[in-house]
Amino acid sequence: MPKPFYITTPIYYVNDKPHIGHTYTTVLADVLARHHRMLGEDVYFLTGTDEHGQKIEKTAATRGITPQQLVDEVAPNFENLWKHMGLTVDYFVRTTHAQHKATVQARFLELLAKGDIYKATYKGLYSVSDEAYVTEIQAKEMQAQGLAHQLVELEEESYFFRLSSYENWLIQLYERYPDFVQPGFRLNEVKQFVSPGGERGNLQDLSISRTSITWGIPVPNDEKHVVYVWFDALLNYLSACKDGHWPPQVQLVGKDILRFHAIYWPAFLMAMFREAGDDLNGELPARIRKQLPETILAHGWWLMGDTKMSKSLGNIVRPKELLYFGTDAARFFLLRDMQVGHDRAFSFDAFMDRLNADLANGLGNLAARSISMLQRYRAGVVPTPIAFDEVDLEVQSYLSRVAPEYLKKAEAHDFNGALEGLWAFLRHLDGYIVKAEPWKLAKDEANAAKLDTVLVLLYRALRLAAVLAAPVMPELCQKLWESLGLPGAVSDLRYADFDVQGLAPGPVSDPKPLFARIDKDLAMTEIEAIKIAEMGAAPVVEQPLDVPPLKENIDYDTFAKTDLRVGLILEAEEVPKSKKLIKMKVDLGFEQRTILGGIKEAYAPADLVGRRVVVVANLAPRAMMGIESHGMLLCASDNASKPYLIAPPEDAKPGFNVR
Ligand code: ME8
C-alpha cells in the first residue's frame, strides 16, 4: 500500500481576485504533490475557497443578488485558474458545500457536548474595520495609530471554544514535535505568542459564533448564531479529506495565518480527538499527536519593494502577468527565487533575468548543444562509455551526488536550495564542455571513445535534470524528455525506479527549443498592457466603505474658522527615512509655503509638481521629521484606500478661497 500524502493550501477568500501570493502557495503545493507522486506516495491535494462572512453579505446586498449567487459567480476565479495552469488539484472545497456545512455543524455539537464549546456573553472592544474583537493591547495600539474611532464597545452572546484549556498540550506539541511548524524560526513566533517568555495563562477562549452576521453556517439548534470564521474555515481540511488520508502531512500557509493554523487548528483537533480520561494538564498523548497535521509549513510574502502587495496601493501582480512567459517559467521562478519562510521582493526584471539565465541559457542551451552534438557526431545514438579521464570521472561522481542532494533538500521543502544545486551542476557541465572540447575530439577518430564519454555524461545529466525538475516544470521537462528520445511521461516515473547511469532505450530526437530568450523591453511593454487591462476589469467584490461614523454637527462659524485655499505645487521631494512623507513647496498666491504631506504611498514627487491642491492654510505650523510644515493638503480616502488629492479645476488661481 503506498503511503498516503495529504497536502493542503489555505482556502482563499472569494472577495479578492487571485494574485501572485495565492498562485505561489498553490503552485508550491502542486510541486510538492507532484514530487510526492514521484516518490510513489498516494497523494491527495486539496485547495478551495472560503466563502462566508460579512463582506460577501454586504456586496451581495448592494448588487441585489443573494450571497450564494455572488459566491457561485466568483469562486470559479480560483478554480478555473488552477485548471488553466494544469495544477493537479484532487479536490476543490468550498465552505458553502453541504458536506462542509454538515461537518462543521456535527463537530460543533460534538464539542458542545464535550464541554469544549460553551455559550456566554461577550463584552469588549470591537474593531469595526477588522470586524473582530480586539484585546486591550491591540486596542491601545489602534488608539496610538489614531484609529480610536474604529473601536466600539459591544456586548453580544457568543459561543466560545475553550482554547485556554489546551495551552498545556499545545506547548508540549511545540516542544516535543518541533517539526509541527516549519521553518523553525516561525515556530518560535508561535511559541512566543502562546507563552511569551515562557509565561503561562495567556491563551484566551475563542469566540466562534456571531449573531450580527447571517451569511454563515447556522449553529445547530440556535440559529440566530452563525459559526464565525476560523471554526468554519479551518474545518475544511477535515470535511474535504479523502478516506484513508487523515492527517495532513503538509499544510501550506502564508505567515499571515500561521497563528490560526498552529494554535486554533491543533486545539480544535485535540478537542475532537481527545477521549474521556485524557488529562489536559498531563502529557499530550502520542495517539493525539498522530491525529494532528504533521507539518504546518509557513512561507513568507511576495512583496513589492518593501511593502506587502495590496489592492489599495495598486501594486498587485496578477497571475496573467506572471503567466505571460508560460506556466512552467512562472513555476520555476516562484520556486527558485523564494526561500520558503522568508519574504521576497518581486520584480519583473529579476523574473526575466532568472528565466534568461537559467532556462534560455542554462538548461535550454545545454540541452540544445548536447542533443545536437549527439545527432551530429553519433547520428542520435547514445553511445556506451568506456574511457574515463580525470575530468570525466569528476563529472561522473558529481552526477551521482546530484539526485541525493536534490531530494534531501526537497524533503526539507527547500526547493530554492534544491534547484540552485541542480543548476550549479548544469553550469559545471558548461565548463566541462569547454574543457573537453568535443568539437575537437570529433575531428579525430582516435578520440572516438573519449567523445563517447563526454556525450553520454551530458545525456545522463540532462535526463536526470528532466526527472528531478519535472515536479517544478512538468511541460518543459516532458519536452526535454522527448528530445532525449525517452518514452512515456516523465511525471509517471518513480524516483526509486530511475537509474542515473541506465542505458538509453533509443536514439535522441531533434532538440525541441525549451525556452526562448526574452526581449525584456518588448516583454515589459506587453505586460504593462496586460496590467492595464486587468485594472480596468471590474473588481470581483466591491469592498464596503471603511469610514468612521459621521462626526457631530458644528455651526457655520466653527466651519468658517478654517481657511481653505487653492495651492499650486511648485516642487516636491521625498523626506529621507520617512515611509510616508513628501515635502512640497506650494504657491498660495500670496506666499510660498513648505508643506509636508503623508502621500508617498500614492504619489511620486515628479507627479506632484504642477498639480493644483486644496490647502488648509491657517493650520498652525508643525514640525515633522525635523522639518516645519505650514498647512495641510486635503485628500479623499477611506481607511483602506490610498489618499486621493482633492483637485480644484485648472483655471482656479493659487490663493482662491475654497468655501
Ligand atoms: O487568509 N505572498 O484567505 P486569503 C505570498 N481565507 N502569499 C500570499 C500573499 C503574498 N503577498 N498574499 C496572500 C485567508 N498569500 C483565509 C484562509 S484557511 C483555513 C483560511 C497567500 O485569501 C498565502 O498563502 O487572504 C496566505 O496565507 C493566503 O494567500 C491568504 O489568502
Side-chain angles (χ1 to χ4, degrees):
M1 273 280 278
K3 196 172 132 196
F5 180 80
Y6 177 22
I7 179 160
T8 69
T9 74
I11 47 170
Y12 306 113
Y13 289 127
V14 285
N15 52 11
D16 192 7
K17 284 193 294 187
H19 58 67
I20 181 177
H22 308 118
T23 312
Y24 170 67
T25 313
T26 320
V27 162
L28 177 57
D30 186 58
V31 171
L32 280 164
R34 288 171 185 268
H35 178 69
H36 281 266
R37 284 189 201 101
M38 289 181 74
L39 284 167
E41 295 172 14
D42 177 12
V43 171
Y44 182 59
F45 169 14
L46 177 73
T47 186
T49 40
D50 189 353
E51 304 186 358
H52 291 125
Q54 204 162 23
K55 283 185 181 154
I56 295 291
E57 193 174 312
K58 279 189 186 163
T59 307
T62 47
R63 285 194 40 198
I65 56 176
T66 64
Q68 188 65 51
Q69 282 170 321
L70 178 68
V71 295
D72 287 346
E73 187 183 307
V74 292
N77 285 327
F78 286 89
E79 191 169 7
N80 292 341
L81 174 65
W82 310 144
K83 279 193 187 142
H84 169 74
M85 291 180 67
L87 306 193
T88 55
V89 172
D90 289 302
Y91 189 65
F92 190 91
V93 60
R94 298 179 49 187
T95 52
T96 49
H97 282 164
Q99 196 201 333
H100 174 74
K101 291 192 210 168
T103 303
V104 170
Q105 291 185 324
R107 297 298 185 165
F108 193 100
L109 285 179
E110 190 186 306
L111 296 196
L112 193 66
K114 274 181 162 173
D116 284 302
I117 291 179
Y118 63 93
K119 188 155 125 177
T121 300
Y122 188 87
K123 199 172 156 189
L125 287 172
Y126 181 85
S127 157
V128 181
S129 57
D130 297 333
E131 291 175 22
Y133 284 101
V134 294
T135 60
E136 267 174 42
I137 297 172
Q138 287 167 327
K140 280 197 184 124
E141 277 172 13
M142 288 181 69
Q143 278 153 352
Q145 289 166 9
L147 300 174
H149 59 271
Q150 290 183 5
L151 293 171
V152 288
E153 276 249 356
L154 266 194
E155 187 172 337
E156 120 179 273
E157 194 184 63
S158 172
Y159 284 90
F160 286 83
F161 172 74
R162 226 177 267 285
L163 183 63
S164 57
S165 304
Y166 288 88
E167 181 185 64
N168 170 47
W169 279 8
L170 285 171
I171 293 172
Q172 287 185 51
L173 172 66
Y174 311 142
E175 296 293 340
R176 288 174 39 201
Y177 307 95
D179 269 353
F180 177 67
V181 172
Q182 286 180 8
F185 68 93
R186 295 263 171 239
L187 175 66
N188 286 340
E189 288 172 17
V190 173
K191 278 191 196 165
Q192 270 310 308
F193 185 82
V194 173
S195 62
E199 212 179 88
R200 300 276 172 133
N202 279 288
L203 276 189
Q204 291 178 9
D205 290 351
L206 185 71
S207 159
I208 55 164
S209 80
R210 286 287 181 277
T211 50
S212 53
I213 302 174
T214 54
W215 181 237
I217 300 175
V219 168
N221 312 324
D222 196 356
E223 302 217 338
K224 71 176 195 289
H225 288 263
V226 299
V227 177
Y228 185 62
V229 188
W230 292 102
F231 196 81
D232 169 359
L234 286 164
L235 265 62
N236 88 84
Y237 305 128
L238 202 60
S239 71
C241 178
K242 186 178 164 188
D243 276 351
H245 279 73
W246 189 261
Q249 267 65 46
V250 179
Q251 299 209 270
L252 284 173
V253 294
K255 64 178 186 180
D256 44 329
I257 52 171
L258 173 61
R259 266 185 211 174
F260 309 111
H261 284 78
I263 304 171
Y264 300 176
W265 176 224
F268 292 163
L269 291 171
M270 286 168 178
M272 288 172 203
F273 286 101
R274 84 180 164 89
E275 288 168 10
D278 284 338
D279 178 7
L280 291 175
N281 296 316
E283 282 221 344
L284 167 66
R287 166 176 53 76
I288 289 187
R289 167 59 183 119
K290 288 207 183 89
Q291 299 294 344
L292 307 178
E294 209 167 289
T295 293
I296 308 288
L297 181 58
H299 64 71
W301 283 337
W302 283 98
L303 307 174
M304 287 308 268
D306 53 9
T307 49
K308 187 166 188 237
M309 294 185 196
S310 88
K311 219 170 8 176
S312 57
L313 295 180
N315 61 358
I316 288 179
V317 177
R318 297 288 178 192
K320 255 198 188 153
E321 301 161 40
L322 206 62
L323 297 178
Y324 168 80
F325 303 106
T327 306
D328 276 12
R331 293 170 69 100
F332 177 71
F333 173 75
L334 291 174
L335 274 280
R336 173 64 185 85
D337 275 45
M338 176 73 106
Q339 230 180 317
V340 175
H342 296 269
D343 289 346
R344 177 84 186 175
F346 176 85
S347 86
F348 276 104
D349 212 38
F351 185 15
M352 294 186 287
D353 284 345
R354 169 67 67 201
L355 300 182
N356 277 340
D358 286 3
L359 298 187
N361 296 338
L363 180 62
N365 195 18
L366 183 71
R369 280 173 91 185
S370 309
I371 296 170
S372 49
M373 285 195 286
L374 270 160
Q375 287 191 314
R376 198 172 329 130
Y377 305 138
R378 294 292 179 265
V381 177
V382 184
T384 315
I386 42 169
F388 288 86
D389 69 14
E390 210 179 305
V391 188
D392 305 324
L393 284 173
E394 194 200 332
V395 171
Q396 169 90 345
S397 109
Y398 197 162
L399 178 63
S400 63
R401 288 195 312 270
V402 171
E405 281 171 14
Y406 186 98
L407 294 175
K408 197 168 153 209
K409 290 202 167 120
E411 194 187 348
H413 308 122
D414 174 16
F415 281 92
N416 160 266
L419 293 168
E420 189 175 13
L422 179 56
W423 258 258
F425 175 55
L426 300 181
R427 276 195 303 278
H428 186 83
L429 294 174
D430 283 334
Y432 172 53
I433 297 179
V434 172
K435 268 196 225 154
E437 300 185 304
W439 49 91
K440 280 197 186 154
L441 298 177
K443 283 186 184 146
D444 186 349
E445 217 12 65
N447 288 327
K450 241 177 130 26
L451 179 60
D452 281 352
T453 305
V454 176
L455 295 176
V456 167
L457 287 177
L458 291 174
Y459 168 86
R460 289 181 182 167
L462 287 168
R463 184 175 59 181
L464 177 65
V467 172
L468 293 179
V472 179
M473 294 186 286
E475 276 177 34
L476 189 141
C477 290
Q478 181 62 25
K479 252 202 229 172
L480 176 56
W481 189 250
E482 287 167 14
S483 300
L484 293 169
L486 294 160
V490 59
S491 305
D492 289 343
L493 204 100
R494 301 287 163 261
Y495 297 129
D497 301 334
F498 176 67
D499 178 6
V500 182
Q501 316 290 352
L503 293 180
V508 299
S509 313
D510 286 336
K512 295 186 185 143
L514 294 185
F515 191 82
R517 204 182 160 73
I518 299 165
D519 173 336
K520 287 170 63 175
D521 288 336
L522 179 69
M524 261 344 281
T525 319
E526 292 183 2
I527 288 171
E528 282 305 322
I530 297 176
K531 203 184 268 296
I532 288 165
E534 285 276 294
M535 282 198 305
V540 179
V541 170
E542 271 308 324
Q543 293 292 333
L545 271 190
D546 180 8
V547 287
L550 194 64
K551 292 176 190 160
E552 64 188 39
N553 282 346
I554 52 171
D555 56 25
Y556 177 76
D557 290 344
T558 311
F559 168 70
K561 285 185 186 159
T562 315
D563 195 332
L564 301 175
R565 300 294 178 113
V566 172
L568 174 69
I569 302 179
L570 302 175
E571 292 169 15
E573 61 183 281
E574 292 187 359
V575 174
K577 292 197 191 139
S578 165
K579 276 200 176 144
K580 291 204 163 155
L581 292 177
I582 292 197
K583 176 180 158 190
M584 287 157 285
K585 188 193 258 185
V586 181
D587 181 10
L588 285 180
F590 52 93
E591 68 182 28
Q592 293 180 358
R593 296 256 187 99
T594 297
I595 300 181
L596 297 179
I599 52 174
K600 190 160 156 185
E601 56 174 353
Y603 295 93
D607 297 336
L608 290 168
V609 176
R611 262 179 195 267
R612 281 176 167 67
V613 286
V614 177
V615 179
V616 186
N618 63 335
L619 199 64
R622 185 175 151 212
M624 286 179 274
M625 307 287 291
I627 304 168
E628 190 175 82
S629 172
H630 189 186
M632 190 177 94
L633 308 190
L634 291 190
C635 288
S637 69
D638 75 354
N639 290 318
S641 84
K642 66 179 185 183
Y644 294 89
L645 281 168
I646 304 290
E650 282 299 302
D651 42 5
K653 293 206 179 92
F656 268 16
N657 269 129
V658 179
R659 51 190 171 189

